[in-house]
Amino acid sequence: MAKKVAFIQGNEAAAHGAIYAGCNFFAGYPITPSTEVAEVMSLELPKTGGKFIQMEDEIGAMAALIGASLGGAKVLTSTSGPGLSLKQENIGYACIAEVPCVIVNVMRGGPSTGMPTGPSQSDIMCAKWGTHGDHPAICLVPASVQELFEETVRAFSLAEKYRTPVMIMPDEIVAHMRERVVFPEPGEIEVINRTAPSVPPEQYKPYDTSFGDVPPLAAFGSGYKFHVTGLNKMQDGFPTTKAAIVQAEEERQVRKVEANKADIMKWEEYLIDDAEIVIVAYGSTSRSARYAVNAAREQGIKAGLFRPITFWPFPEERLLEISRKTKAFITPEMSLGQCNGVVKGCIEGNAPVYGIYHVDGEPVSPDEILNKMKEVK
Amino acid sequence: MAYDYDKWIRPGKLPHIWCPGCGHGIVMKGLIRAFDTLQLKKEETAIVSGIGCASRLPGYIDCCTLHTTHGRAAAFATGLKMARPEMKVILCGGDGDGTAIGGNHFIHACRRNIDMTYIIMNNYIYGMTGGQFSPATPTGHKASTTPYGNPDPNFDIAKLAIGAGATFVARGTAFHAAQLDKLIVEAIQHKGFSVVEILDDCPTTYGRRNKFKSVIEMMNRLKEISVPVKAAEKMTPEQLQGKVLTGVLYKEEKPEYCEQYAKVIERAQVGK
Ligand SMILES: Cc1ncc(C[n+]2csc(CCOP(=O)(O)OP(=O)(O)O)c2C)c(N)n1
Ligand code: SF4
Ligand SMILES: [Mg+2]
C-alpha cells in the first residue's frame, strides 16, 4: 500500500506526530505562531477518543498537562515566547516530580510580546534555564516539516522513557512553512511508553531507585495510590529536607538525562571530514547554511555544516573533537549569540567562533553566511 | 456514628505541621468523616492542593494525593479529572492560594462546572509565609504587610464562586465541626463543581496581630459572626450587619464538563 503523503504546515505536522505517538490529552492557550497545533489537536484528538482543553492561561495549561499525565495520559501542549515564560513554573514541577510531558514552543521574536509573527531562535537558553533551580533539559530543534513530525514522535518517547518534560522548538519558519510529509506507518517509528510498575500497589514507591535512575510511574486511578509533591522528595514521594537524600535525588534527576546523552543527542554532519570552516546551525537557519556550504565548496572553500537536532543535551564532545581540526566556526542564528555562546563553551578555545545574528524577524541568508566564510577564511 | 480515622490517616505521617490551635486540622477531620461516610475508595479518590499550610493536608490522607504549585491545584486537578473522569477529585487549599495567585484557575473551574469539590480553608491570612494579608483579610485588619491596617477590600469567596458558575456553594466554620461533615458530604455528592468555604483560624500569624487573646476567642468569634441561611431569612439587614451566612448557599443542576466533553468525542466520531 502506498504511504500517505500530504503537503502540510509544520505546526500541523507536530500535531499529527503527537497523535502518531499516542498522545491522548492536550491542554493549551492560544498564541501566535503556535496556535495551529492546538487547532489541529482540537479537531483530531476527540476522533481518537483523546481530550483537548483550552485552559485559562499557559500556567493552567501546563498544570492540567501534569495532572493528566499523572492520570496516565500522554500529554502535549503548544505555545510560544510569552507562553513559554508562563509555563516555566510548572515545567520545573514536572522536572522535580518527574512527570512526562511534551511542550511545543514555536520560537518567535522576544522578549515579551516582541515580534509575534516573526521567526526567532532566541528561546534556546530559556529551554535549558527558564525554570529556576537545577534540573534536566531535553530540547529538540527540527529543520523541516517531516523532521518536525518525526521529532515530535521522538519527543514523546524521550519524555516517557526518562519521566521528564521534553521541549520541541521549531522556529516560526519551520512551524509555518508547508512541505511534503510522508506519514510513517504505525510501528514504523518506535514509540516508547513509560514503564508501568512491576510491583503490587502496597509495595509501590513513585521514586523507587532500586529500579534504576528512572523509576516506574504508576497512574492515579489505576489501583495505585501515592503522593506527588514539588518539594524535594524521598523514594516514597513524601517531602524531605534530609541533606543526603535531597542531594542524591537532585543529582539523579539531572543524571537521567546526562548519563543517557548518547541516546538523546542527535545531530547531522555535512561535509565535516575535511572542513576548515564549520557552520553550526539548526532549525531553518541550517537550511541557509547548507546552501552556503555547497556554494562555498564550489568556490574552493572547505566548508562543513554541523546541525544539532537535539539542542539539549548539546553534542559538546563531538563538537570539541571537530574543533581540533577546524580553523573557524560560524554560528548564524536568529538570536544575539545564544548558540554562539554554547559553541564557545564546548570547544576549549580551539578555534574562533564568529556569529551572524538576526533579531529583526529576517532569516539569515545563504549570502550572509557565504560572505562571512570568505571574510574569516 | 463512629468514624474510622485510622483507615484514612497515612501511617507514620503524624504529627502534622500545623500549629496548636490551627483550624486546618479540624477541617481535615471533617474531610475524613465525609470520606468515611461516603465509603470512598482510596485508589479512586484524589486530593489535589496548592501551596500553604492548608495545602499540606493531602500528605496526611491515605489516597491519591497531589501537592502542586501555589494556586494551581484547580488546573492540575482539571487535567487529572479529564484523564480519569471516574475518580473523585477533591481540591483543598487556603484563601491566599485559591483567591490570589490561584484566582484565575478557581473561577474557570467554577465556570466549567467540572465534577470536583473544592475545600477552601479561609483563615483570612497567608499563614505559611508568616502572616501577610490575603484577598480575604478584612479591611482595616493587621497583617505583616499591612502594619497600618489593611487598605484593601476583601473578597466574599462563596459569592465569588457563585458568580463564577459553581453549581454547589456552601460555607461552614471550624467552630461548627458537625455541620462541616454534612456540607462536605453533600458537596462531594453533588455532580458539578462544588465549593465549600470553611472559615477557620490562624492564631499564629493572624490572631496575635489582631488582638485575639486566645484560640478560644477566635473560635467564639466564628460562632458569633455566623448565621445559618435559614435563620438569616428571618433577620433584618441591620441584624445581619457583620454576619456571614453558613450552610448551603447555592445549588443548581447544570451540565457537567466531562460529560459535555464525552459528547464532543461522540460528535467527532460520527461517520468515522
Ligand atoms: C509562586 C509562589 N509565590 C509565593 C509563594 C509563597 N507562599 C507560600 S504559601 C503562601 C501563602 C499561603 O496562604 P494560604 O493559601 O492562605 O494558606 P495558609 O498558609 O494560610 O493556610 C505564599 C505566598 C510560593 N510558594 N509560590
Ligand atoms: S501558621 Fe497559621 S495557618 Fe499555618 S499552621 Fe500555624 S496556625 Fe495554621
Ligand atoms: Mg490562609
Side-chain angles (χ1 to χ4, degrees), chain B residues 17-24 52-54 123 125-131 200-206:
Chain B
I17 62 153
W18 297 315
C19 308
C22 175
H24 296 342
C53 296
N123 58 7
I125 202 83
Y126 287 169
M128 178 159 267
T129 41
D200 67 357
D201 66 303
C202 171
T204 309
T205 77
Y206 177 76

Side-chain angles (χ1 to χ4, degrees), chain B residues 194-208:
Chain B
S194 51
V195 178
V196 186
E197 178 191 1
I198 301 173
L199 306 179
D200 67 357
D201 66 303
C202 171
T204 309
T205 77
Y206 177 76
R208 86 186 148 82

Side-chain angles (χ1 to χ4, degrees), chain A residues 25 42-43 46-57 59-60 63-68 70-73 89-90 93 219-231 234 236 238-239, chain B residues 10 13 42-44 46 56 58-59 62-70 72 74-80 82-87 101 104-106 108-109 111-112 257 261 264-265 268-269 272:
Chain A
F25 183 83
S42 73
L43 182 70
K47 291 184 193 168
T48 67
K51 290 167 187 175
F52 168 96
I53 187 168
Q54 184 170 306
M55 291 297 287
E56 49 274 12
D57 58 27
I59 305 173
L65 216 61
I66 297 169
L70 286 169
E89 176 191 43
N90 288 327
Y93 186 94
F220 283 150
S222 71
Y224 287 77
K225 56 179 167 61
F226 51 99
H227 186 63
V228 178
T229 177
L231 289 161
M234 302 179 284
D236 61 6
F238 289 94
Chain B
R10 271 190 168 120
K13 295 300 166 199
K42 293 177 175 184
E43 293 77 10
E44 293 296 314
R56 293 302 281 265
D62 195 23
C63 61
C64 302
T65 51
L66 178 56
H67 177 226
T68 72
T69 43
H70 194 24
R72 319 296 177 208
F76 277 79
T78 298
L80 175 60
M82 278 188 88
R84 294 276 176 184
E86 69 285 359
M87 285 186 93
I101 193 163
N104 202 25
H105 311 303
F106 174 34
H108 288 278
R111 174 180 62 86
R112 289 187 193 100
Y257 192 76
Y261 200 83
V264 168
I265 293 178
Q269 294 185 342
K272 213 193 123 198

Side-chain angles (χ1 to χ4, degrees), chain B residues 109-234:
Chain B
C110 293
R111 174 180 62 86
R112 289 187 193 100
N113 195 35
I114 185 162
D115 186 23
M116 310 194 289
T117 296
Y118 185 12
I119 308 293
I120 180 158
M121 289 165 249
N122 180 4
N123 58 7
Y124 310 95
I125 202 83
Y126 287 169
M128 178 159 267
T129 41
Q132 301 75 35
F133 75 100
S134 90
T137 306
T139 308
H141 284 216
K142 293 239 168 99
S144 77
T145 47
T146 55
Y148 305 108
N150 179 20
D152 284 30
N154 59 287
F155 270 139
D156 179 325
I157 297 174
K159 271 192 192 158
L160 178 66
I162 297 169
T167 50
F168 179 99
V169 180
R171 189 190 282 122
T173 86
F175 178 84
H176 304 87
Q179 183 201 30
L180 268 192
D181 312 3
K182 292 199 200 87
L183 295 178
I184 298 173
V185 165
E186 210 181 320
I188 294 175
Q189 283 173 325
H190 175 79
K191 184 146 206 103
F193 196 72
S194 51
V195 178
V196 186
E197 178 191 1
I198 301 173
L199 306 179
D200 67 357
D201 66 303
C202 171
T204 309
T205 77
Y206 177 76
R208 86 186 148 82
R209 277 198 186 86
N210 290 286
K211 303 204 165 64
F212 286 99
K213 292 200 187 68
S214 65
V215 174
I216 295 169
E217 210 177 285
M218 296 188 82
M219 284 291 157
N220 279 335
R221 180 181 157 274
L222 290 178
K223 181 181 158 196
E224 280 155 23
I225 61 169
S226 48
V227 177
V229 263
K230 271 266 155 353
E233 283 167 13
K234 298 182 209 99

Side-chain angles (χ1 to χ4, degrees), chain A residues 259-310:
Chain A
N260 292 293
K261 266 162 68 168
D263 180 44
I264 303 166
M265 287 187 307
K266 194 169 162 186
W267 69 87
E268 184 196 356
E269 294 179 10
Y270 179 65
L271 306 179
I272 286 288
D273 284 350
D274 64 340
E276 292 173 351
I277 300 178
V278 172
I279 317 294
V280 182
Y282 64 95
S284 68
T285 309
S286 69
R287 299 167 73 123
S288 292
R290 189 186 307 268
Y291 194 93
V293 164
N294 287 337
R297 287 271 170 180
E298 275 171 25
Q299 297 178 26
I301 302 171
K302 287 187 174 166
L305 168 66
F306 185 88
R307 177 172 79 90
I309 301 169
T310 304

